[in-house]
Amino acid sequence: MDIPSKYNPALTEDKWYQYWLDNGFFRSEPDNRKSYTIVIPPPNVTGVLHMGHMLNNTIQDILIRRARMQGKNALWLPGTDHASIATEARVVAMLREEGIEKSQINREEFLKYAWEWKKKHGGMILEQLKKLGASCDWERTKFTMDDDMSESVIRVFIDLYNKGYIYRGVRMINWDPKAKTAVSNEEVIFKEVQSKLYYVRYKIDEKDEWLTIATTRPETILGDTAVCVHPEDKRYKHLIGQKIIIPLVNRPVPIIADEYVDREFGTGVLKITPAHDENDYEIGLKHDLEVINIFNEDGTLNENAQIFTGEDRFVARDLVTEKLREDGHIDKIKKDYVNKVGYSERTEAVIEPRLSRQWFLRMKELANPALESVMNDTVKIHPAKFKNMYRHWMENVRDWCISRQLWWGHRIPDYYLPESDEFVVADTPEAALDLARRKTGNPSLDIEDLKQDEDVLDTWFSSWLWPISVFDGIRDPQNKDFTYYYPTNDLVTAPDILFFWVARMIIAGYEYNNEKPFHNVYITGMVRDKFGRKMSKSLGNSPEPLDLIRKYGADGVRVGMLLCSPAGNDLLFDENLTEQGRNFGNKIWNAFRLVKNWKVDPELDQPKASAIAVEWFNARLNQSIRILDDQYSKYRLSEALMNLYKLFWDEFSSWYLEIIKPSYKQSIDSKTFEATTGFFEKLLKILHPFIPFITEEIWQLIRDRKDGESIMVSDMPTGGDYDKKMIERFEKTKETVSSIRTIRKEKNIPDKSPLSLNVKEKEEVYDNRFGEVLKKLCYLSEINFIAKKMEGAVSFIVKTTEFYIPLGEKVNVEEEIRKLENELEYTRGFLRTVMQKLDNEQFINNAPEKVIQIELTKKADAEEKIKVLEERIAGLKKSFIRKMRGLMIRIFKKPYLFIVFLVNKIWVKLKYIFNENCP
RNA sequence: GGGCGAUUAGCUCAGCUGGUUCAGAGCACCUGCCUUACAAGCAGGGGGUCAUCGGUUCGAAUCCGGUAUCGCCCA
């Protein structure tokens, strides 16, 4: 079989994905098995795959594939979110390109365009997820505006309204003047910007006294209805209760006092514009101030402003400033002033606080069970550090503004009575009419008389039902799917939506099913670039995921992303991580090439080295699987992958395969071959959730498979009992091998020149189980057990065992002595630290017996080692002197001058050896 | 301004109940090798006062407080 030395993902990934689809492996229907469910955090229907999705969905796929292989009935339910603001913005932009303004068309026409757009471009992201290997049940794909999903949303609205949780109120809301809609707090992004601080002079009424007020928004002066100072501020105390004249519009307003004022800020005087600032609004309510709204919906000035009517707010700012300057009202302008300004997440317009009539959901009471369930770990958040943040938010939860002035979304089901502010709430116009007739007592009311609210609901008002409504659990809570799959198992999401999505899903779960929506929440990090910057289009630092997949394979990208993303920590993405992932795939591929190309000879006996290696690796594999299970249970997926990475690369490839590998062109015995193939299969299986494609490819090639078989539906290996001693023993063997390799390198001895190894220990004490392994890996001609130390040999020590390798002339005695002395010094230092503890009475009295025992063992080991080292050094020195004596005798036979030269040289050496550490 | 979290090797991170020479991993780096599975590789190596100051303790990277820096959330 001719297998290329480089694995090529492009040749396999699409093939196996199609195979999985064709065989329906992603499908799930309720049955007798235990269910394991994940609902996807629905991406925006307009969305395209970015690195955050890649990470998030890789994690979900790992969890679901593992569960499936463990024999659970695993369902990963995909879908998309209608994302009202984002999608509407997209459609508006598209129409504009075609020369159509939203204002020119009516709601029905707009929605027709929007649906067409959705049909054509929506859900592209789901196709992209397939390239990643996502094993979603695509036949169950949901969309938040599907008919059944929409009906659930409306039902919930009506229900909450009837329960008294939903109310209509005037509130200061975040207004997006570009999209002309209210946006939630979560959709406002505060950025630090360079702005100016204007110092404006106001004249006190009927006095020749002026007050200077600092503001960043001079245009709002037109809406001022008071000026406020701190009640304790000596500078202004005398003015409280007097009137002051608003510049430009010459409106007299009161000077009031409130402790809210920060005396240190600006001049310590605050202008109050209740209509356009949240804090000012609160003060206005408290002091019963007039509210003057000077802005239109699009952020231009209205007639209440009296001047500059129709101008945009930013144009008006300049015009007002200019006029103030002309009239002598500008004291100064501080230019390098930094303040925080809110921007709309969707349209990037500067948010305008605005008083508006909106729908609200009362949260406090609803939030209680959701808070409790997280605090008592009924819903577990991984990592747990997010619990504190969650609590803080839930304890300070504010009412939720759920209405949006948009068309794309779920239209709010309230109907206004003719020429009235009165309304009824109902799921159909007919039902509304019925209610309206009863409410008014007027049976002649017609459907046309009622006017449905123009607004739609916040997108999150449908998302919060997602885990329930995808199984139709709102409309039909007893249905088979819902009772089987709900509550779901894991939710995987980013920390930025913990509050406005995760928390609300938990709330909805308790309100509508008296049950949590999921058992575990896995919080992933945010994907950033390698400099720690957020990935964004404008920075151009976000790689195109599909390009990465093309370049490194989906498996490579999955590994690359995961290797460096512990839960809840941001991931600093660097393309060389995916390179590492690809290299890992190649390593597996080449191990497969090696094994696949072996000729099996059934006549051959199993070599001793192979037999023990099989035993060892079996133990090591079981140990790793146990660790792996533990890592999964704690959602430490990065660690789990690293565990497998090292297991495959170091233990399996570098140690196990090197031990059992027959020499060139030699066959392998069938026992070892069978065991190795079995190990390989197990390794592939435990690796499969992380790297589904290459594991399937190799699994299909490593043995004959029938059509319809797949690793993805095979049994996940479980970790059996293992011989811990065997693993420890082999660790010592590894150390021995490393030492011998180091000696070869230092002495420049070729790998293929045989060495003899002498162990200063009794054979029965040493435990020579891995002797044959040592011989093979280190190219040893023999292993002898000796009672006395050896001369003319290099030595090394593993734990407390001495080893000697005779090298004759190659042994540099001076260097040997120096090395041993270094080690001796180190060991003496170690013994000192141990003795410090053991000599400490407090330690002996307080430390647990186990810890003391450990220290005593350390002491004994160290003392033993020191003894060994000292003897060895003394021996070397003795042999050195003998050698020198022989040399001297020869030297004396030589001419006089030469003798002087040599004696001098020897003198220097002797001085070196005896001036330190002389016993 | 309020809250939460972090600071360990050049980089990204483990270190879970304070106790093994506990200071670790991967990558990067350095040296030597194109050695018949793999140069996308093999073998070997160097590198950290655990941010800082103090406290608790027989014992602190680990627990507690102060300081500094950074990040996130909320206002």
Side-chain angles (χ1 to χ4, degrees):
Chain A
M1 191 169 182
D2 195 26
I3 313 169
S5 73
K6 301 267 187 289
Y7 170 66
N8 183 354
L11 295 175
T12 55
E13 295 192 344
D14 286 348
K15 176 181 76 182
W16 291 120
Y17 199 83
Q18 194 55 47
Y19 179 80
W20 296 331
L21 282 176
D22 292 343
N23 283 282
F25 293 142
F26 303 161
R27 283 290 291 147
S28 170
E29 285 295 337
D31 60 22
N32 296 326
R33 290 174 296 165
K34 214 173 155 195
S35 71
Y36 183 92
T37 317
I38 297 179
V39 291
I40 204 169
N44 288 357
V45 70
T46 58
V48 287
L49 200 65
H50 59 63
M51 298 309 289
H53 296 124
M54 297 279 281
L55 173 65
N56 182 259
N57 289 289
T58 297
I59 290 166
Q60 293 176 70
D61 198 42
I62 289 166
L63 296 173
I64 208 83
R65 281 180 185 272
R66 176 163 185 267
R68 196 181 284 121
M69 289 172 74
Q70 286 175 324
K72 293 173 191 157
N73 185 349
L75 168 64
W76 183 12
L77 190 144
T80 50
D81 188 296
H82 66 281
S84 50
I85 297 184
T87 309
E88 182 148 333
R90 276 290 185 77
V91 175
V92 167
M94 176 202 76
L95 289 174
R96 189 166 294 150
E97 267 176 39
E98 292 174 20
I100 304 168
E101 284 297 316
K102 186 185 162 192
S103 53
Q104 295 168 343
I105 56 178
N106 65 27
R107 187 183 195 111
E108 282 65 41
E109 285 170 319
F110 179 84
L111 287 177
K112 222 179 97 193
Y113 282 118
W115 277 107
E116 263 171 34
W117 191 92
K118 187 252 165 188
K119 229 187 217 164
K120 219 163 136 189
H121 303 287
M124 192 166 74
I125 192 165
L126 299 182
E127 293 307 309
Q128 295 178 310
L129 279 179
K130 295 178 181 172
K131 295 283 175 201
L132 187 65
S135 58
C136 303
D137 183 352
W138 299 108
E139 287 170 50
R140 287 181 179 269
T141 304
K142 300 297 283 182
F143 174 54
T144 49
M145 275 170 71
D146 286 343
D147 287 344
D148 56 326
M149 302 284 283
S150 296
E151 202 186 309
S152 301
V153 171
I154 298 305
R155 274 203 196 195
V156 165
F157 180 93
I158 293 169
D159 179 63
L160 290 172
Y161 175 78
N162 289 335
K163 286 176 182 161
Y165 285 120
I166 287 180
Y167 64 95
R168 237 164 50 115
V170 173
R171 281 292 165 92
M172 187 65 76
I173 46 102
N174 302 299
W175 182 260
D176 178 342
K178 200 164 164 189
K180 294 186 201 165
T181 178
V183 292
S184 65
N185 290 333
E186 291 78 14
E187 290 163 314
V188 180
I189 299 162
F190 284 90
K191 291 184 208 168
E192 286 208 339
V193 292
Q194 280 284 333
S195 38
K196 294 174 190 163
L197 194 57
Y198 302 81
Y199 287 75
V200 184
R201 301 170 73 228
Y202 287 48
K203 187 180 174 296
I204 311 287
D205 196 20
E206 296 173 353
K207 276 196 184 156
D208 191 22
E209 205 178 336
W210 297 71
L211 270 186
T212 301
I213 302 175
T215 177
T216 54
R217 302 201 55 194
E219 72 279 13
T220 61
I221 283 173
L222 307 173
D224 284 358
T225 56
V227 162
C228 188
V229 296
H230 195 279
E232 304 301 320
D233 195 331
K234 287 183 185 131
R235 293 172 293 180
Y236 309 117
K237 223 170 169 174
H238 65 288
L239 295 171
I240 295 166
Q242 304 201 25
K243 295 266 177 183
I244 195 163
I245 307 292
I246 304 296
L248 307 186
V249 290
N250 296 320
R251 178 170 53 234
V253 299
I255 296 173
I256 58 171
D258 196 293
E259 278 165 1
Y260 168 77
V261 177
D262 176 4
R263 277 177 277 187
E264 307 300 316
F265 181 82
T267 58
V269 189
L270 190 65
K271 64 188 217 50
I272 304 296
T273 325
H276 301 295
D277 182 279
E278 188 155 0
N279 296 314
D280 290 10
Y281 180 67
E282 295 296 324
I283 293 174
L285 282 180
K286 202 161 141 193
H287 296 270
D288 203 19
L289 298 176
E290 194 186 350
V291 177
I292 302 176
N293 178 6
I294 60 163
F295 291 126
N296 292 313
E297 287 185 346
D298 60 357
T300 56
L301 267 56
N302 63 21
E303 54 279 7
N304 292 336
Q306 299 183 37
I307 53 172
F308 306 132
T309 306
E311 297 288 353
D312 179 77
R313 54 196 165 140
F314 296 112
V315 177
R317 181 174 301 172
D318 293 340
L319 293 171
V320 165
T321 310
E322 208 174 301
K323 188 82 174 46
L324 285 170
R325 196 194 304 273
E326 274 171 29
D327 296 357
H329 285 287
I330 295 285
D331 186 48
K332 64 176 173 185
I333 298 173
K334 208 171 139 192
K335 285 203 172 128
D336 50 353
Y337 179 72
V338 178
N339 72 334
K340 280 195 171 172
V341 175
Y343 289 84
S344 165
E345 189 185 5
R346 306 294 175 195
T347 66
E348 287 176 23
V350 173
I351 291 297
E352 188 64 51
R354 183 185 161 93
L355 280 173
S356 171
R357 178 161 285 183
Q358 302 286 345
W359 289 95
F360 290 89
L361 176 60
R362 223 182 294 281
M363 294 296 277
K364 192 81 201 163
E365 200 180 319
L366 288 170
N368 285 334
L371 170 61
E372 207 190 307
S373 70
V374 167
M375 292 329 287
N376 67 21
D377 283 335
T378 306
V379 175
K380 277 206 189 75
I381 296 187
H382 306 271
K385 68 177 178 187
F386 287 102
K387 267 169 79 171
N388 282 340
M389 258 165 73
Y390 180 89
R391 182 178 58 202
H392 186 251
W393 191 77
M394 289 298 258
E395 282 174 351
N396 297 288
V397 68
R398 291 144 54 109
D399 287 356
W400 177 11
C401 175
I402 54 173
S403 46
R404 296 289 181 277
Q405 288 64 53
L406 297 165
W407 284 342
W408 177 250
H410 304 102
R411 191 168 178 181
I412 297 177
D414 75 308
Y415 296 82
Y416 291 95
L417 302 180
E419 282 153 52
S420 153
D421 217 20
E422 297 264 308
F423 58 87
V424 291
V425 170
D427 55 353
T428 60
E430 293 73 26
L433 181 64
D434 197 39
L435 281 175
R437 281 179 178 161
R438 264 188 277 165
K439 188 164 185 169
T440 55
N442 175 1
S444 62
L445 268 182
D446 223 350
I447 280 194
E448 282 74 45
D449 296 330
L450 297 178
K451 200 165 156 284
Q452 189 179 354
D453 201 310
E454 287 294 327
D455 291 356
V456 297
L457 289 161
D458 179 12
T459 304
W460 297 106
F461 197 83
S462 59
S463 318
W464 77 323
L465 305 175
W466 181 254
I468 306 174
S469 58
V470 291
F471 299 115
D472 211 5
I474 298 286
R475 301 190 309 169
D476 178 13
Q478 297 310 318
N479 82 69
K480 213 167 85 189
D481 278 356
F482 187 59
T483 50
Y484 184 71
Y485 292 115
Y486 189 93
T488 69
N489 292 74
D490 301 327
L491 180 85
V492 182
T493 189
D496 51 345
I497 53 174
L498 181 60
F499 306 132
F500 55 110
W501 190 45
V502 180
R504 286 170 184 166
M505 282 192 284
I506 300 174
I507 292 173
Y510 281 102
E511 183 63 18
Y512 284 99
N513 206 44
N514 206 17
E515 173 68 283
K516 59 188 168 181
F518 26 70
H519 299 289
N520 297 288
V521 180
Y522 180 98
I523 307 281
T524 70
M526 310 266 278
V527 182
R528 298 168 178 279
D529 70 7
K530 63 176 161 183
F531 306 109
R533 300 174 305 181
K534 270 192 180 172
M535 292 212 164
S536 75
K537 271 186 206 155
S538 53
L539 276 172
N541 59 352
S542 177
E544 172 52 54
L546 295 185
D547 288 346
L548 284 177
I549 288 176
R550 265 188 291 274
K551 202 163 157 195
Y552 300 102
D555 290 334
V557 179
R558 289 166 70 119
V559 170
M561 303 220 61
L562 216 60
L563 272 176
C564 215
S565 59
N569 270 29
D570 285 354
L571 172 152
L572 273 60
F573 182 81
D574 189 341
E575 207 170 302
N576 69 34
L577 289 172
T578 39
E579 204 176 312
Q580 194 186 341
R582 178 201 59 182
N583 294 355
F584 183 44
N586 206 49
K587 184 72 191 178
I588 299 170
W589 183 248
N590 278 294
F592 165 67
R593 277 177 70 212
L594 176 70
V595 172
K596 189 71 192 171
N597 284 326
W598 281 333
K599 298 258 174 319
V600 183
D601 182 351
E603 303 297 306
L604 276 180
D605 284 338
Q606 184 178 35
K608 271 190 184 160
S610 298
I612 191 77
V614 166
E615 268 186 67
W616 163 72
F617 191 74
N618 187 45
R620 188 67 188 76
L621 182 60
N622 274 317
Q623 184 191 39
S624 275
I625 292 173
R626 290 236 165 155
I627 295 170
L628 183 69
D629 288 342
D630 183 58
Q631 286 161 331
Y632 268 114
S633 76
K634 292 171 180 151
Y635 290 81
R636 295 166 181 251
L637 299 190
S638 264
E639 273 178 43
L641 176 58
M642 185 46 72
N643 170 17
L644 293 176
Y645 181 91
K646 287 193 277 192
L647 176 68
F648 195 94
W649 203 306
D650 299 340
E651 308 292 1
F652 184 65
S653 299
S654 298
W655 290 106
Y656 175 77
L657 288 180
E658 290 302 327
I659 296 169
I660 62 141
K661 188 159 91 176
S663 41
Y664 185 53
K665 295 232 163 138
Q666 300 295 304
S667 302
I668 191 164
D669 69 281
S670 48
K671 235 173 159 176
T672 308
F673 182 78
E674 256 319 300
T676 306
T677 308
F679 289 149
F680 214 128
E681 278 184 297
K682 276 194 177 180
L683 288 165
L684 290 173
K685 286 179 180 182
I686 55 182
L687 280 163
H688 176 78
F690 294 92
I691 41 174
F693 293 108
I694 188 173
T695 47
E696 179 77 280
E697 172 76 8
I698 297 176
W699 189 83
Q700 296 281 351
L701 292 171
I702 205 165
R703 283 193 207 274
D704 288 334
R705 309 287 180 191
K706 291 191 210 66
D707 192 36
E709 281 187 307
S710 166
I711 191 174
M712 74 165 283
V713 289
S714 67
D715 292 339
M716 183 60 85
T718 51
D721 289 333
Y722 59 92
D723 182 351
K724 224 171 162 179
K725 284 265 157 54
M726 163 88 71
I727 293 171
E728 280 166 16
R729 187 69 196 82
F730 189 67
E731 288 306 307
K732 279 190 204 163
T733 305
K734 283 179 178 174
E735 250 183 81
T736 313
V737 171
S738 282
S739 299
I740 298 172
R741 281 177 180 161
T742 308
I743 288 166
R744 276 189 190 274
K745 196 161 174 162
E746 278 172 3
K747 306 290 174 200
N748 238 327
I749 305 164
D751 290 348
K752 289 289 158 68
S753 137
L755 294 174
S756 121
L757 181 69
N758 297 275
V759 188
K760 186 172 161 282
E761 195 146 63
K762 288 197 180 107
E763 191 168 356
E764 53 280 16
V765 177
Y766 172 67
D767 180 3
N768 196 27
R769 271 183 287 177
F770 289 98
E772 291 303 311
V773 170
L774 265 181
K775 273 188 179 172
K776 180 163 182 181
L777 291 179
C778 300
Y779 215 77
L780 301 176
S781 52
E782 53 183 354
I783 299 177
N784 304 312
F785 293 88
I786 54 175
K788 277 177 27 188
K789 52 193 170 287
M790 203 175 196
E791 289 177 14
V794 201
S795 73
F796 60 91
I797 298 174
V798 175
K799 299 288 181 255
T800 54
T801 311
E802 280 175 87
F803 296 85
Y804 295 87
I805 297 176
L807 287 177
E809 289 308 304
K810 286 201 166 173
V811 180
N812 181 336
V813 183
E814 281 171 64
E815 201 178 316
E816 283 300 300
I817 293 174
R818 198 179 316 138
K819 266 199 325 209
L820 290 168
E821 280 175 345
N822 281 342
E823 199 166 350
L824 180 64
E825 199 182 323
Y826 176 84
T827 312
R828 281 179 174 154
F830 172 52
L831 182 62
R832 261 197 303 278
T833 66
V834 174
M835 290 315 290
Q836 259 168 26
K837 281 190 195 173
L838 288 171
D839 288 344
N840 185 340
E841 217 172 292
Q842 305 268 45
F843 174 75
I844 300 294
N845 292 339
N846 292 311
E849 185 57 29
K850 200 184 85 193
V851 176
I852 293 173
Q853 273 311 321
I854 289 168
E855 293 303 317
L856 286 171
T857 314
K858 272 154 67 175
K859 178 186 171 221
D861 285 356
E863 282 171 343
E864 169 72 19
K865 194 163 179 180
I866 288 169
K867 209 179 107 204
V868 164
L869 286 166
E870 282 173 350
E871 280 174 15
R872 177 93 185 107
I873 291 166
L876 279 173
K877 285 181 177 174
K878 232 188 206 161
S879 79
F880 184 72
I881 290 165
R882 253 202 313 274
K883 214 166 133 192
M884 283 299 125
R885 205 189 311 152
L887 205 64
M888 297 280 260
I889 290 164
R890 266 184 286 160
I891 285 166
F892 278 124
K893 292 174 183 169
K894 299 278 171 181
Y896 176 71
L897 280 175
F898 195 47
I899 292 171
V900 170
F901 171 71
L902 282 175
V903 166
N904 193 32
K905 200 175 171 199
I906 291 159
W907 178 243
V908 170
K909 284 197 178 185
L910 284 172
K911 230 168 84 182
Y912 161 72
I913 289 171
F914 288 105
N915 69 353
E916 266 180 299
N917 294 318
C918 193

